[in-house]
Amino acid sequence: MFNVPVAFKLKTNGKYIMKKNKREYELQTAVCSWLKARHPSIPFRSMPNDVYKDKDHQDGRSHPDTLIMKPAGRWHGLAIEFKKDQATIYRKNGTIRQDKHLLDQLACMRDLLALGYLTAFIWSLDQGIDIITKYLENGDAE
């Protein structure tokens, strides 16, 4: 059984929405809780932002928050970067924000794509469930 974290509420249309003033940590926790409950045998690793501050144990790049280590289709795995909302990535005109950290994340995600990992930005619980489900069923997120 999947227990929805308190940071979310279920709307009457069956969609989950994040309560105001909650950060991407709660989204990451909710998606990981769903993944563990729905697919307990699938290996994955998810690290909160605070873990990345230890530069001695990583290559210094802006890696995605979560890696699902189950091959699907032509992909070796699925790398996910959580954002608190879509506005964290895109401007109102639809272009990518020119934030150094975001651009570093995009560069790392492009490199992972070239190495055979599907990558995705996720900013809602429903979107996360949908992308992971499609990846595991079809080997794609489309």
Side-chain angles (χ1 to χ4, degrees):
M1 179 72 185
F2 168 57
N3 294 318
V4 178
V6 296
F8 291 84
K9 62 182 177 181
L10 184 62
K11 293 182 73 173
T12 56
N13 65 0
K15 299 286 184 183
Y16 293 104
I17 61 167
M18 203 173 346
K19 294 179 182 176
K20 292 189 184 285
N21 300 324
K22 296 296 178 182
R23 298 177 13 235
E24 62 187 63
Y25 176 84
E26 283 85 7
L27 174 59
Q28 186 175 352
T29 301
V31 170
C32 291
S33 295
W34 173 84
L35 185 57
K36 283 195 292 190
R38 188 58 61 104
H39 302 283
S41 65
I42 291 179
F44 74 96
R45 177 145 189 173
S46 190
M47 299 190 343
N49 289 334
D50 292 345
V51 175
Y52 291 120
K53 292 179 181 176
D54 180 3
K55 300 296 182 193
D56 293 334
H57 294 93
Q58 61 177 337
D59 62 11
R61 301 186 65 199
S62 295
H63 290 280
D65 298 315
T66 299
L67 178 62
I68 296 175
M69 297 168 264
K70 179 178 182 2
R74 65 185 178 112
W75 304 106
H76 299 304
L78 173 61
I80 299 168
E81 175 61 36
F82 293 97
K83 294 295 181 191
K84 66 180 179 179
D85 56 40
Q86 195 172 1
T88 310
I89 306 167
Y90 302 103
R91 294 183 177 128
K92 288 182 181 179
N93 67 7
T95 61
I96 300 282
R97 291 191 172 279
Q98 296 302 299
D99 172 79
K100 181 183 177 344
H101 180 65
L102 177 61
L103 295 175
D104 288 347
Q105 288 174 326
L106 283 168
C108 183
M109 291 172 86
R110 277 190 215 107
D111 290 347
L112 288 170
L113 273 170
L115 292 170
Y117 292 87
L118 184 61
T119 62
F121 281 106
I122 291 177
W123 53 82
S124 78
L125 179 56
D126 291 308
Q127 179 198 26
I129 290 170
D130 187 52
I131 286 172
I132 293 168
T133 300
K134 287 177 179 174
Y135 169 76
L136 293 173
E137 290 175 355
N138 309 320
D140 212 343
E142 298 293 323

